[in-house]
């Protein structure tokens, strides 16, 4: 008998879609059937010398229908991931539902499950019965921190699930709308960051949603942060007027926490530099002082990545945009040589900027630096780094036949047409 006969078990759509993306080996033009999937998974198990973990079609039906949410045997999960071409259990909608006493005790304090398995970066879930706004925000904070070292791959379905729960809570009117809008702002902005790094086209829509929710929540700090991100995207697209307008809008209103203020000033400086305005350098210096200001404002946690090195690299970019390529290169070399490790994504972006600064006076060095940036882009699966290198790839084409240049152009072309850009 079912423990809760009224509970509707949702199907595992992610797993279904992953299987259907595969082509049938026997029926041209058709997707892989469940029986063909079973054959492929079992073949993978046998190739690895595993003969006691076979699956059958009935087992796949239970997985896809959602009756089984967590294949307990890691060997099976590994084979399923390999056949479907993914790296993380979360990408297939797998999360643990059977729990030990220790799990239950942990959930009593935080409502979350984190299970690091062989071959996984993470598998994360909040038990539905324990979901709350506080638990959702704690999960977001944990994922944000973990993504610094592990990258963003596999986070999208987790984040979208949280948006769905927020939407459900909004419809049921169980929680204060201001609190829901605040949480929605943060998750929507986080998804936009994921999609920017996936190279997919809906990042702007998620940021627009984040802005609307921040306005609804009447949260000026969140609104400024989202506008700052929109300004950054406009600058990346070469839209200097749009980037300037959005950055100025972010700086309007009540005083901002120092780090968020510094980020908004940095975006305005970059936008002005893009349009050739020397005032950007003075703004960059002000941003550096703001970033270093002591503050216990909890809103600063949104901008914890904004430190002296981040601001210095942004100022170097401004110098490059204003035509001072050699000074920009010197500053970026110093930033990248610091002993304390930077996040992979930041390092990849800074290397892309450094390669651009080299290109006019040392094309071979520019190509080598660009290749190094691409290696980091692969490590953190960031299409944003690949896009940042596009101007370099275009300007280096006349140097074809030079070995470092050919190596970079080949690697960049593969990245553009590969999974990094969706």
């Amino acid at each position: 008998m079912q423990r809760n006969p009224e509970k509707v078990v949702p199907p595992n759509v992610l797993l279904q879609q992953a299987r259907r993306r595969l082509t049938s080996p026997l029926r041209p033009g058709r997707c892989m059937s469940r029986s063909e999937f079973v054959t492929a998974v079992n073949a993978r198990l046998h190739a690895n010398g595993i003969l006691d973990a076979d699956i059958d079609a009935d087992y796949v039906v239970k997985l896809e229908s959602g009756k089984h949410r967590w294949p307990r045997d890691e060997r099976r999960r590994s084979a399923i991931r390999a056949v479907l071409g993914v790296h993380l259990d979360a990408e297939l909608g797998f999360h643990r539902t059977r729990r030990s006493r220790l799990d239950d005790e942990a959930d009593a304090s935080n409502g979350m499950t984190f299970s690091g398995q062989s071959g996984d970066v993470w598998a994360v879930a909040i038990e539905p019965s324990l979901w709350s706004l506080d638990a959702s925000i704690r999960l977001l904070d944990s994922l944000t921190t973990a993504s610094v070292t592990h990258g963003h791959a596999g986070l999208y379905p987790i984040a979208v699930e949280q948006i769905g729960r927020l939407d459900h809570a909004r419809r049921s009117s169980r929680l204060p709308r201001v609190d829901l809008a605040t949480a929605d702002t943060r998750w929507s902005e986080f998804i936009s960051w994921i999609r920017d790094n996936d190279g997919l086209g809906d990042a702007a829509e998620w940021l627009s949603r984040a802005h609307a929710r921040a306005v609804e929540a009447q949260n000026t700090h969140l609104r400024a942060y989202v506008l700052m991100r929109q300004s950054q995207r406009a600058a990346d697209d070469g839209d200097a007027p749009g980037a300037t307008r959005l950055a100025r809008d972010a700086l309007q209103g009540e005083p901002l926490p120092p780090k968020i203020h510094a980020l908004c000033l940095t975006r305005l400086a970059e936008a002005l530099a893009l349009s050739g305005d020397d005032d950007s350098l003075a703004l960059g210096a002000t941003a550096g002082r703001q970033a270093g200001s002591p503050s216990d404002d909890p809103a600063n946690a949104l901008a914890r990545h904004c430190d002296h090195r981040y601001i210095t690299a942004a100022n170097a970019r401004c110098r490059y945009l204003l035509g001072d390529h050699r000074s920009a290169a010197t500053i970026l070399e110093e930033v990248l040589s610091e002993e304390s490790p930077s996040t992979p994504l930041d390092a990849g972006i800074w290397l892309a900027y450094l390669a651009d600064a080299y290109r006019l006076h040392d094309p071979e060095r520019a190509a080598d630096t660009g290749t190094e940036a691409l290696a980091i882009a692969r490590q953190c699966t960031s299409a944003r780094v690949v896009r940042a290198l596009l101007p370099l790839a275009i300007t280096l084409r006349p140097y074809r036949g030079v070995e470092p240049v050919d190596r970079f152009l080949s690697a960049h072309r593969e990245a553009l047409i590969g999974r990094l850009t969706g």
Side-chain angles (χ1 to χ4, degrees):
M1 179 181 294
Q2 287 180 285
R3 293 184 180 180
N4 184 358
E6 295 182 357
K7 181 178 180 180
V8 177
V9 179
N12 189 336
V13 177
L14 291 175
L15 180 61
Q16 292 175 359
Q17 291 175 341
R19 173 179 61 80
R20 290 170 179 168
R21 282 196 295 268
L22 298 180
T23 302
S24 168
L26 302 176
R27 301 168 300 151
R30 304 286 297 277
C31 71
M32 178 178 280
S33 68
R34 291 193 180 103
S35 62
E36 290 168 339
F37 178 63
V38 166
T39 300
V41 171
N42 289 340
R44 171 71 64 161
L45 289 166
H46 298 169
N48 292 333
I50 301 168
L51 304 179
D52 62 344
D54 281 15
I55 65 172
D56 56 27
D58 182 59
Y59 183 74
V60 176
V61 169
K62 290 178 179 178
L63 288 176
E64 293 191 351
S65 67
K67 292 181 180 178
H68 290 344
R69 283 291 181 183
W70 179 250
R72 299 179 65 184
D73 192 324
E74 159 59 17
R75 300 173 301 172
R76 283 181 172 177
R77 294 201 308 279
S78 178
I80 290 171
R81 289 195 305 268
V83 169
L84 295 177
V86 303
H87 300 291
L88 304 174
D89 286 332
E91 294 178 85
L92 300 176
F94 291 160
H95 60 78
R96 290 199 305 176
T97 53
R98 290 183 177 271
R99 314 178 55 69
S100 68
R101 178 178 58 81
L102 293 176
D103 291 329
D104 292 334
E105 290 175 355
D107 278 346
S109 63
N110 63 23
M112 287 178 280
T113 301
F114 285 77
S115 67
Q117 304 292 335
S118 174
D120 292 355
V121 174
W122 52 61
V124 186
I126 300 179
E127 289 297 299
S129 61
L130 297 169
W131 188 88
S132 68
L133 275 176
D134 286 343
S136 184
I137 291 299
R138 287 199 299 274
L139 174 61
L140 174 58
D141 289 338
S142 297
L143 293 181
T144 301
T145 300
S147 66
V148 170
T149 53
H150 296 314
H152 68 282
L155 292 181
Y156 179 70
I158 299 171
V160 168
E161 181 183 3
Q162 294 304 308
I163 288 289
R165 292 183 180 184
L166 290 167
D167 283 341
H168 176 74
R170 176 185 289 266
R171 290 192 298 271
S172 64
S173 302
R174 292 187 295 108
L175 297 167
R177 291 185 71 85
V178 168
D179 294 344
L180 289 168
T182 299
D184 197 317
T185 301
R186 292 195 57 196
W187 276 109
S188 296
E189 188 278 325
F190 184 60
I191 293 176
S192 76
W193 176 81
I194 293 171
R195 301 306 259 180
D196 264 332
N197 283 290
D198 281 336
L200 299 174
D202 59 352
E205 286 77 7
W206 282 107
L207 266 185
S208 293
R209 175 182 173 126
H211 181 263
R213 294 292 188 264
V215 171
E216 180 183 344
Q218 299 180 346
N219 190 316
T220 56
H221 298 166
L222 274 177
R223 175 182 172 275
Y225 189 84
V226 172
L227 285 167
M228 178 277 300
R229 287 269 285 107
Q230 290 178 317
S231 175
Q232 182 181 39
R233 294 192 84 256
D236 287 346
D237 290 339
D239 179 9
T244 302
R245 174 181 53 79
L246 288 162
R248 290 192 188 281
D249 195 6
L251 289 162
Q252 296 301 311
E254 66 183 62
L256 298 171
K259 285 187 178 292
I260 295 179
H261 191 190
L263 281 176
C264 294
L265 288 172
T266 297
R267 298 289 89 85
L268 179 56
E270 291 175 334
L272 292 176
L274 192 61
S275 60
D277 190 333
D278 288 338
D279 287 346
S280 64
L281 299 181
L283 281 172
T286 303
R289 291 191 293 272
Q290 282 290 327
S293 299
S295 173
D296 56 1
D297 192 323
N300 267 325
L302 282 171
R304 52 181 169 265
H305 63 287
C306 180
D307 56 15
H308 173 73
R309 180 161 50 179
Y310 184 93
I311 296 295
T312 302
N315 289 343
R317 180 61 174 171
C318 290
R319 289 184 179 276
Y320 168 82
L321 292 171
L322 292 169
D324 189 356
H325 297 180
R326 292 188 182 275
S327 292
T330 299
I331 294 170
L332 287 167
E333 287 168 354
E334 292 175 356
V335 167
L336 288 161
S337 68
E338 292 188 19
E339 290 185 5
S340 57
S342 55
T343 68
L345 178 57
D346 283 343
I349 293 292
W350 298 340
L351 281 167
Y353 291 164
L354 179 58
D356 224 11
Y358 285 149
R359 63 182 172 86
L360 291 181
H361 61 275
D362 195 341
E364 291 188 34
R365 193 175 186 186
D368 283 335
T369 305
T371 300
E372 188 178 351
L374 284 172
I376 292 180
R378 286 191 293 271
Q379 174 191 341
C380 59
T381 59
S382 174
R384 194 168 157 235
V385 176
V386 177
R387 288 198 306 273
L389 288 164
L390 184 57
L392 177 67
I394 293 172
T395 57
L396 287 182
R397 286 174 185 169
Y399 298 94
R400 284 172 175 157
V402 177
E403 195 274 331
V405 173
D406 288 346
R407 183 171 62 247
F408 165 73
L409 291 177
S410 176
H412 189 259
R413 182 172 60 253
E414 290 177 6
L416 280 176
I417 64 177
R419 294 183 64 186
L420 289 182
T421 54

